[in-house]
Amino acid sequence: MKSHDDSLRDLTVRYLRGELNADELAVFELRLRSDNAARAEFRRATRLDANLRTIAAGREATEVWETNHAPAASGVSWFVWLMRWIAPVTAVALVTTMFWWKDSVGGPEQSPSEESAAGFAVVTAQANAHWAGGRKFVTGDLLAHETLRLESGIAQIELFSGVTVVVEGDAEFKIISPMEMSVTRGKVRARVPEPAHGFRIHTAEGEVVDLGTEFALNVAATNSEVHVLDGEVEWHPHGNAMRNMKKGEALRWETDGKATALPANHAGFIGMADMSERLNTDRKVRRDEWINYSHKLRHDPRLVVSYQMGADDGWNRRLKNEATEKPQMDGAIVAAARVPDRWGMAGAALDFSPTGSRVRLNVPGEFHSITLLTWVKINSLDRWYNSLFLTDGAKVGGPHWQIMDDGRLFFSVKKHETSEVKRGQKDKYHFMSPPIWNASQSGQWLMIATTYDVDARKVTHYLNGRVFSEEAIPEEYLVENVAIGAASICNWSEPVYRTDAHFAVRNLNGSMDEFALFAAALTSQEIADIYEHGKP
Amino acid sequence: MPDQPHSDAPGYELFVGLLTRHEAALRRFVRTLLPAWGDVDEVMQRVALAAWKKFNQFDPATEFLHWALVIARYEALAFRRAMGRDRLVFSEDFLEQLAEEAENETELASREELALETCMAKLPPARRELVLKAYSIPDQRDLAAAIGKSPAALYMLLSRIRQELATCIERTLKEEAAL
């Protein structure tokens, strides 16, 4: 899931472009109302937006003025602006400026093609969930206006209004907006925080409007049951008077209109606490399975570096190399903070979003083919280059592995000294995949791998265990001996550009819980196996 | 237009001088309250006209910006009310809250404006030009086409530059505070 800050920033940017729809605007306002810091940040963004326009307009007007009336007096641009509404008729000389202005103030900049993640809700957890039609969701997936059928298992969904629902299969439902959903079948339990009061669920028999805080629904073929677990709801049966229901009350409503009062049944619906307990057990089992499998991997003689970012002691900034054949090459953690790993285990991953974050390591020797493999969770690609693993500087033989701002995976091994590059030649070849990432994958854990296969002369990029793209290594750019030396994970150390903010900031805005370097190109089968055993 | 100001009216020069000096601050304030630039420009015009009409009530011993902000707040909210429900804007009481907070931040805002100039100067020339262009052309999609990028890529790039500028401004203000 996107971090709090990121989603607010996103909302602000889209608000300033006039792109928010009514629901999003309502949610945005709610969040700003309840959060002083967010509001201060919002005002800061609007001020910057206005200041940029002032500067841009000032310069533009000055330019027009200067071409017509050189030399220009200082501060004249403001006067030009003023003239446009105070004394338009006399400002004959400024006709061009005014026309320009007239055009420029047309309205909010629309951007229908803007890439934006679409949805009203996000899947936050699942236990043995099976969706109809073979649909698969992972944590962090967005749900939009679509009828979904959960055949079995449990899913927890957070709506952007702050409402959390737990759905038990077999169930059929639809998220209509951040404040509204419909249920045609099955059990749903909803917890509604204060800013989302008024949240409603439609059923065939009527609709429930929440007045706070927790209620559950069981929709069957011939009746609907409403249970108020906490707080108060309104039950609006179709064609009948509204009923106010309080904590502890429940009502069964038959399709023929017959109503029966019942005591509310807490135990009949899985709540958030039960869900989290189940998930923890579930996750722990899967994590243990992976740890078992990775113990075997550690003995693989091809493994050079293997970091599992979880430490037994949270304060230790040293990252132990788990490759048993290579006891040295420990990493040093810089700035990165400890966060939950892909199974939700606290402190078992590193968050590289604080500026300057990286893991420093030194890998001596030379390699023929190599494989780089990692599990990452990307918040956003907000740099031109978003680092995964880069040798320091730009040394011949050094690999650079990163993600471009548009989501393409980038791999290169430097072939020539930059000073010796001939005309029409490059110092290295860029092996770029098509985009592997877009904003809708924000917050999802992904396994990314790239193999540099010198013998087969090809570079292969993998996403989640599958070949994503493949490219032959052009003869003139083949590097037979890959040399790494001093390197950084999730950042780049480049002395030359250290003073240049544009190049210096390359840390990945995201988390990593595992990194491995092999001195060989693993086969696609091996990479698929690692993914199958390691997926959360 | 009897109320239209003209250059030989008494106080005109003083008024123009004051409005010129505080125009950026007023625009920042209005921008905080309205999401569409077209509306901001419209309200700015109304503020200027209303301020001129009431200029004889302005006491030169008091602060012009403070006086003009009251007008701007009134005009922005009136504009919002007139737009009614067919435009997407924040609710009125929330706008009141924002306006109140923004009124107390004018000093910070003008320091930010100065810092932005410094930060713009630090940007690589190509990126600086890009931002200036983006903020001065009516439709950013035209700019995207002109530089051979998709609108989405341009927006991403712009939002990154804005973020860089925001960080730079924050740092500059901190450094100033530390002096």
Side-chain angles (χ1 to χ4, degrees):
Chain A
M1 222 178 120
K2 275 194 169 185
S3 81
H4 188 66
D5 282 351
D6 278 346
S7 75
L8 271 174
R9 191 175 294 160
D10 204 38
L11 282 167
T12 306
V13 167
R14 294 178 51 231
Y15 169 83
L16 289 175
R17 278 209 296 266
E19 287 177 347
L20 296 187
N21 63 33
D23 284 323
E24 291 170 317
L25 190 78
V27 170
F28 191 33
E29 181 175 324
L30 278 173
R31 289 183 65 177
L32 290 177
R33 271 176 189 269
S34 60
D35 186 343
N36 291 342
R39 221 160 48 244
E41 191 58 39
F42 168 76
R43 291 194 305 273
R44 207 157 69 108
T46 58
R47 291 197 298 265
L48 175 60
D49 199 53
N51 284 336
L52 281 168
R53 193 140 191 265
T54 299
I55 291 178
R59 193 189 64 148
E60 198 81 25
T62 308
E63 276 172 4
V64 174
W65 181 274
E66 277 168 352
T67 49
N68 294 335
H69 304 264
S74 67
V76 76
S77 57
W78 305 133
F79 189 64
V80 170
W81 179 84
L82 210 63
M83 292 293 276
R84 139 173 173 270
W85 46 264
I86 287 200
V89 187
T90 63
V92 179
L94 301 171
V95 164
T96 345
T97 315
M98 291 191 303
F99 270 32
W100 173 83
W101 261 105
K102 192 166 174 289
D103 288 340
S104 73
V105 296
E109 284 96 340
Q110 292 296 325
S111 54
S113 58
E114 167 77 348
E115 172 199 313
S116 64
F120 299 125
V122 58
V123 177
T124 48
Q126 295 174 93
N128 308 316
H130 289 281
W131 300 86
R135 288 288 298 266
K136 282 205 164 75
F137 293 104
V138 297
T139 302
D141 269 345
L142 294 176
L143 301 180
H145 205 278
E146 180 190 2
T147 302
L148 295 167
R149 177 146 172 232
L150 178 67
E151 288 177 336
S152 62
I154 312 159
Q156 182 174 308
I157 295 159
E158 277 177 21
L159 281 72
F160 290 168
S161 53
V163 174
T164 306
V165 295
V166 175
V167 182
E168 288 175 60
D170 184 358
E172 192 173 78
F173 65 99
K174 178 155 89 174
I175 310 288
I176 300 167
S177 81
M179 288 293 283
E180 216 172 341
M181 70 184 282
S182 66
V183 179
T184 33
R185 172 177 17 181
K187 287 182 180 176
V188 172
R189 179 163 169 164
R191 184 189 283 168
V192 183
E194 204 187 326
H197 286 181
F199 170 75
R200 58 184 61 209
I201 298 185
H202 304 271
T203 74
E205 276 83 39
E207 60 188 65
V208 186
V209 179
D210 177 87
L211 305 175
T213 51
E214 195 162 354
F215 68 94
L217 271 181
N218 187 359
V219 180
T222 55
N223 66 66
S224 293
E225 283 178 21
V226 184
H227 296 248
V228 184
L229 307 175
D230 199 2
E232 209 176 330
V233 305
E234 283 173 5
W235 167 240
H236 298 259
H238 292 317
N240 275 289
M242 183 271 281
R243 294 211 188 183
N244 215 303
M245 297 171 63
K246 296 209 162 41
K247 181 179 176 178
E249 294 178 357
L251 203 59
R252 179 182 297 140
W253 200 270
E254 317 277 342
T255 15
D256 57 18
K258 188 173 143 244
T260 321
L262 310 162
N265 180 5
H266 262 270
F269 301 88
I270 292 177
M272 272 122 265
D274 318 316
M275 180 80 187
S276 115
E277 202 169 304
R278 272 195 203 203
L279 286 168
N280 285 340
T281 322
D282 232 51
R283 276 201 209 110
K284 201 175 168 311
V285 170
R286 274 176 294 139
R287 189 171 189 271
D288 289 347
E289 282 169 10
W290 165 246
I291 302 283
N292 265 335
Y293 180 84
S294 69
H295 276 300
K296 276 181 254 161
L297 265 185
R298 287 174 192 179
H299 295 286
D300 188 321
R302 299 169 300 174
L303 188 62
V304 181
V305 173
S306 167
Y307 295 138
Q308 290 188 329
M309 310 279 176
D312 305 329
D313 39 7
W315 50 268
N316 196 340
R317 303 305 276 173
R318 193 180 66 108
L319 210 49
K320 185 171 172 288
N321 184 6
E322 310 279 0
T324 40
E325 308 284 315
K326 313 275 190 306
Q328 72 289 40
M329 288 186 257
D330 287 347
I333 302 168
V334 181
R338 293 201 179 273
V339 290
D341 69 2
R342 61 188 192 266
W343 290 277
M345 175 71 84
L350 290 175
D351 170 20
F352 290 88
S353 59
T355 311
S357 294
R358 65 196 68 205
V359 169
R360 293 288 295 154
L361 67 158
N362 188 29
V363 185
E366 290 193 339
F367 308 97
H368 197 51
S369 299
I370 61 167
T371 298
L372 295 161
L373 186 148
T374 187
W375 277 94
V376 284
K377 184 181 84 170
I378 298 166
N379 301 328
S380 66
L381 297 174
D382 35 23
R383 331 262 187 233
W384 283 14
Y385 303 98
N386 304 273
S387 306
L388 291 173
F389 175 74
L390 290 95
T391 20
D392 286 5
K395 292 175 297 219
V396 169
H400 280 183
W401 195 36
Q402 50 200 337
I403 307 174
M404 307 298 293
D405 61 347
D406 57 8
R408 290 176 298 164
L409 186 58
F410 170 115
F411 178 80
S412 69
V413 180
K414 187 159 166 129
K415 172 74 177 177
H416 304 290
E417 281 299 348
T418 314
S419 56
E420 291 164 8
V421 171
K422 299 188 201 75
R423 265 185 94 119
Q425 199 185 38
K426 292 181 292 185
D427 61 342
K428 57 184 174 290
Y429 188 84
H430 301 169
F431 299 94
M432 294 264 199
S433 75
I436 59 163
W437 194 90
N438 63 49
S440 71
Q441 281 146 297
S442 179
Q444 291 176 15
W445 282 95
L446 310 170
M447 191 183 99
I448 299 174
T450 296
T451 57
Y452 185 70
D453 192 334
V454 171
D455 301 317
R457 301 270 153 102
K458 72 177 180 195
V459 166
T460 311
H461 293 302
Y462 292 87
L463 177 67
N464 290 338
R466 305 248 282 268
V467 174
F468 197 79
S469 69
E470 216 169 50
E471 199 173 348
I473 305 174
E475 189 63 41
E476 65 272 33
Y477 292 108
L478 182 72
V479 177
E480 304 241 6
N481 295 303
V482 175
I484 296 169
S488 292
I489 291 175
C490 289
N491 212 324
W492 187 41
S493 299
E494 169 48 273
V496 178
Y497 293 117
R498 204 164 278 162
T499 51
D500 185 331
H502 169 52
F503 283 97
V505 180
R506 281 201 185 188
N507 57 311
L508 181 79
N509 180 0
S511 314
M512 185 181 279
D513 68 1
E514 200 149 342
F515 173 85
L517 164 69
F518 294 84
L522 299 192
T523 64
S524 55
Q525 187 52 52
E526 285 173 319
I527 287 179
D529 281 352
I530 294 176
Y531 174 74
E532 281 310 316
H533 285 94
K535 68 181 180 195
Chain B
M1 284 180 281
D3 286 318
Q4 197 80 342
H6 45 92
S7 50
D8 50 7
Y12 178 74
E13 264 185 36
L14 174 65
F15 175 71
V16 167
L18 287 167
L19 194 59
T20 304
R21 191 175 335 140
H22 296 292
E23 181 232 339
L26 288 166
R27 184 185 288 139
R28 281 194 292 269
F29 177 80
V30 176
R31 178 62 174 140
T32 299
L33 302 180
L34 297 170
W37 268 118
D39 296 342
V40 173
D41 290 326
E42 175 64 30
V43 167
M44 284 296 285
Q45 293 197 29
R46 294 183 186 192
V47 171
L49 276 177
W52 173 244
K53 282 186 210 167
K54 291 183 181 151
F55 193 54
N56 56 359
Q57 298 165 24
F58 169 63
D59 174 6
T62 62
E63 219 195 305
F64 178 79
L65 179 59
H66 181 75
W67 180 78
L69 281 175
V70 175
I71 295 173
R73 176 187 189 152
Y74 175 82
E75 289 293 341
L77 288 171
F79 186 82
R80 190 228 165 265
R81 237 168 285 144
M83 287 194 314
R85 298 189 130 265
D86 43 350
R87 289 280 259 291
L88 294 173
V89 278
F90 288 139
S91 62
E92 189 161 341
D93 60 334
F94 181 56
L95 285 182
E96 290 271 11
Q97 183 186 7
L98 277 178
E100 191 142 330
E101 288 168 327
E103 277 172 24
N104 292 321
E105 283 174 330
T106 52
E107 207 201 308
L108 167 69
S110 63
R111 275 187 282 131
E112 280 176 351
E113 192 191 349
L114 287 176
L116 175 61
E117 300 263 14
T118 316
C119 292
M120 287 289 278
K122 286 184 189 163
L123 277 185
R127 308 186 100 196
R128 185 167 55 236
E129 285 308 306
L130 185 73
V131 178
L132 289 171
K133 267 278 172 313
Y135 272 86
S136 57
I137 78 166
D139 191 335
Q140 297 190 341
R141 275 169 295 180
D142 295 342
L143 177 61
I147 61 170
K149 273 184 180 284
S150 70
L154 174 67
Y155 293 143
M156 239 163 138
L157 181 56
L158 284 172
S159 112
R160 196 164 41 232
I161 300 175
R162 259 201 313 269
Q163 195 49 45
E164 260 179 52
L165 287 169
T167 311
C168 172
I169 290 170
E170 194 174 15
R171 196 176 50 231
T172 309
L173 293 184
K174 270 195 192 129
E175 282 165 5
E176 273 174 20
L179 279 179

